[in-house]
Amino acid sequence: MWGTVGPHVVHLSPLERVRLRRIAVRYAMHGWEVTPGACLARSRFVCGRAGCPTVGAHPALENWELAASTDPARVATWWRSRPHGVLLPTGRAFDVLEMPSYLGRHVLDAISDHPADRARGPVAVTPSGRWMFLVRPGDPLRPELDHCFHVVRHGVGSWIPAPPTRLPEGPVRWALAPEQARWRLPDSYLVQKVMVDALRATGVALTADLLPGQLPLPRRGF
């Protein structure tokens, strides 16, 4: 099938292709599992799988959850022949808290001023303005955020497009790169507390606070 879609795949220079491969390998070397994403072809994505109906960004491999790897050699082979997107499965090395740009900028500014360094970690931004905060995995959303449509938690069974993956609107970028955060992941509940404060500051109504001694129930990420 690649023969029929190949001519329409967005052209990347040899340097850009090498950069994609090197960055995917670097994520793997730091213990972040990587899986190849479908290739951008004009305004849609193609994965080469016969009959695949998905036109948005998606994994190139049908069994991507099992195939995702931290093996640098295996990861490198995926980018030798195709300009795949770089996808990072969530719920493993990290979870992701995703939100719109107006909230993401506010939260990042608040985290930068936060006295606890444990709240600072990598933050990726899509060209359409979705901010993705990488946090330690396993913690569910606080009750105040559980039914708030402004915040989405990506856990087991989900993934995010990682920089420098190119989407139709442009490339994904880092607002706070892993190197700047020394590849450390922040405490999820510290970041969520900042999010709650930011939402309330913008006038968004939230559910009641967590009562003392009450623990949130685990839930599967989106």
Side-chain angles (χ1 to χ4, degrees):
M1 185 175 177
W2 277 112
T4 61
V5 299
H8 304 300
V9 171
V10 171
H11 175 73
L12 297 180
S13 70
L15 183 60
E16 288 176 304
R17 293 171 72 110
V18 168
R19 181 169 177 257
L20 269 174
R21 185 172 69 246
R22 285 180 177 173
I23 291 177
V25 168
R26 188 166 78 237
Y27 293 147
M29 292 179 67
H30 280 88
W32 292 4
E33 289 189 350
V34 178
T35 192
C39 300
L40 181 61
R42 295 179 178 168
S43 61
R44 59 173 290 171
F45 288 86
V46 294
C47 62
R49 286 187 275 133
C52 179
T54 308
V55 298
H58 63 285
L61 306 178
E62 190 170 9
N63 63 338
W64 65 271
E65 289 186 81
L66 295 176
S69 180
T70 57
D71 178 6
R74 185 179 187 187
V75 170
T77 61
W78 285 326
W79 274 269
R80 285 204 177 104
S81 59
R82 300 292 171 194
H84 290 293
V86 182
L87 307 186
L88 303 178
T90 55
R92 302 181 182 191
F94 53 81
D95 285 349
V96 167
L97 302 174
E98 179 187 337
M99 65 203 67
S101 58
Y102 78 89
L103 181 60
R105 170 52 64 185
H106 190 120
V107 170
L108 183 57
D109 289 343
I111 285 175
S112 299
D113 296 332
H114 199 282
D117 190 49
R118 291 178 300 150
R120 189 170 184 265
V123 182
V125 183
T126 70
S128 61
R130 301 297 296 180
W131 287 57
M132 301 178 290
F133 289 73
L134 278 63
V135 298
R136 293 175 191 164
D139 291 328
L141 288 177
R142 292 167 53 113
E144 307 98 306
L145 299 174
D146 198 35
H147 300 290
C148 175
F149 68 87
H150 297 276
V151 178
V152 176
R153 171 180 170 252
H154 294 271
V156 175
S158 188
W159 53 265
I160 63 166
T165 297
R166 186 181 294 187
L167 303 180
E169 303 86 357
V172 183
R173 64 179 178 85
W174 289 111
L176 184 63
E179 294 83 359
Q180 293 175 285
R182 291 176 284 180
W183 293 90
R184 293 191 307 186
L185 296 166
D187 181 278
S188 176
Y189 285 137
L190 278 178
V191 176
Q192 290 187 45
K193 177 61 168 63
V194 177
M195 291 178 181
V196 169
D197 293 341
L199 283 165
R200 287 190 171 136
T202 60
V204 175
L206 299 171
T207 57
D209 288 331
L210 188 65
L211 298 175
Q214 179 186 2
L215 294 176
L217 295 176
R219 80 175 200 174
R220 182 180 175 87
F222 296 106

